[in-house]
Amino acid sequence: MARSSCASSPEPTRGDSPRRIRRWDSLAARVANRNMIVRLIVLLSWSVPGLAAASDHALFSAVLADHVRDGRVDYAALRHDARLSRYLAQLADTSPDELASEAERLALWINAYNAYTLKLVADDYPVKSIHDLGTGGRILGWLLNRTPWDIRFAVVGGRTLTLNEIEHEILRPQFEEPRLHFAIVCAAVSCPPLRAEAYQADRLDAQLDDQGRRFLRDGVRNQFDVAGRRARLSPIFSWFAEDFGKTDAAVLRYVSRFAPPDVGRELAAGADRWSVSATDYDWSLNDFKSP
C-alpha cells in the first residue's frame, strides 16, 4: 500500500524502546475511547433537529478561523475547543457517497483528513512533531506501520479509517486531483500552509488554486533560480511525482501554473532545460511556537 506523504522517505532518528511501545499502546487506547465519545455524540445528534449536513463545513471553518494564523495552529487553545469534536461527529454521521457532487465529496474528504490530523495532535499536545505520536520515530514507525498515519481512528460515514487510507485509498485514486497535495496538511512546518477556512464545494476549484499559489510562491518550501534555471521543490513533488507528471519536466510544467508569474512563464516555455532538486523537509510541529 502506498505510504502517506508524511510517512515517506524516512530519515535517521532515535530507535524504538519499550517506553515508546507503551506510549503507542496508551495512545491507541485513548484513540479508542475518543471514537466511543464521537459515536455517542453522533447518536445524540440524530435527535437534534436541523443538524448541519457534513457538506456544509461552516463549523470547521469557524474552528479554523479561530485557531489558524498564517498556516500555524494554536493547538493549546484548539485542544479545549469542543466544536472540533462536534464537527468530527458530523463527519461520522455523513455518507460521502450520498453527497450530490464530486466537488462535495472531495471537499469532505480533504476536510476530514485535516480535521482528524488536528484532533490527533491537539489531544496529545504539546509535542515537538507529529512523529512523536507514532512508535520508534520515522524509520521504525514506517517499517512497522505504526506511524501516526496508521492509527485507525478517523470515523467518516460510519467507517473507521486511518489517515493513510483516506489519502491513498480514497483521495488520490478516486479523485485524481494533484492539487489535493496542496490542501491536506500533516501538521509539519514544511507542509503546505493550513488554510484558515474549510474547503467548500462551490469554491473548491478556486481554493485549491489559491493553495497552489501560496505553496509555490512562499520562497521557502519551493525555490526558483530563473537565471540558473534551477528549481528546488518540496519533497512532496518527488514523493508523489506520479500525480504531477512522470518526468521532472512534466512536474515543472504542472508547477508553472502556480509559481510566481515570471517563473511560470520560463517553466512553461522550457521546463526541460531546468534542473530539479529537493528542499529540506522540516517535520517540526506547525504550531505558534515553532521557529
Side-chain angles (χ1 to χ4, degrees), residues 151-167:
I151 300 173
R152 190 169 300 281
F153 78 110
V155 185
V156 180
R159 298 171 59 195
T160 304
L161 304 161
T162 69
L163 294 173
N164 263 339
E165 288 171 341
I166 292 177
E167 182 176 6

Side-chain angles (χ1 to χ4, degrees), residues 3 19 26 28 44 47 52 70 88 95 126 149 153 162 174-175 178 196 204 212 220 223-224 240 243 246 256 262 270:
R3 293 290 185 184
R19 179 180 178 184
S26 175
L44 293 174
S47 63
D70 298 326
L88 298 182
S95 172
W149 299 275
F153 78 110
T162 69
Q174 292 186 18
F175 297 97
L204 184 60
V220 176
Q223 304 165 10
F224 302 95
F240 299 106
D243 293 357
K246 294 182 179 180
S256 69
D262 60 326

Side-chain angles (χ1 to χ4, degrees), residues 106-125:
L106 178 55
L108 180 138
W109 283 115
I110 292 174
N111 289 330
Y113 187 99
N114 288 343
Y116 276 108
T117 298
L118 290 174
K119 181 65 172 173
L120 185 67
V121 174
D123 282 354
D124 275 84
Y125 188 79

Side-chain angles (χ1 to χ4, degrees), residues 33-45:
N33 288 335
R34 291 171 201 152
N35 284 347
M36 291 178 62
I37 294 172
V38 168
R39 291 179 185 278
L40 177 60
I41 294 173
V42 171
L43 290 172
L44 293 174
S45 70

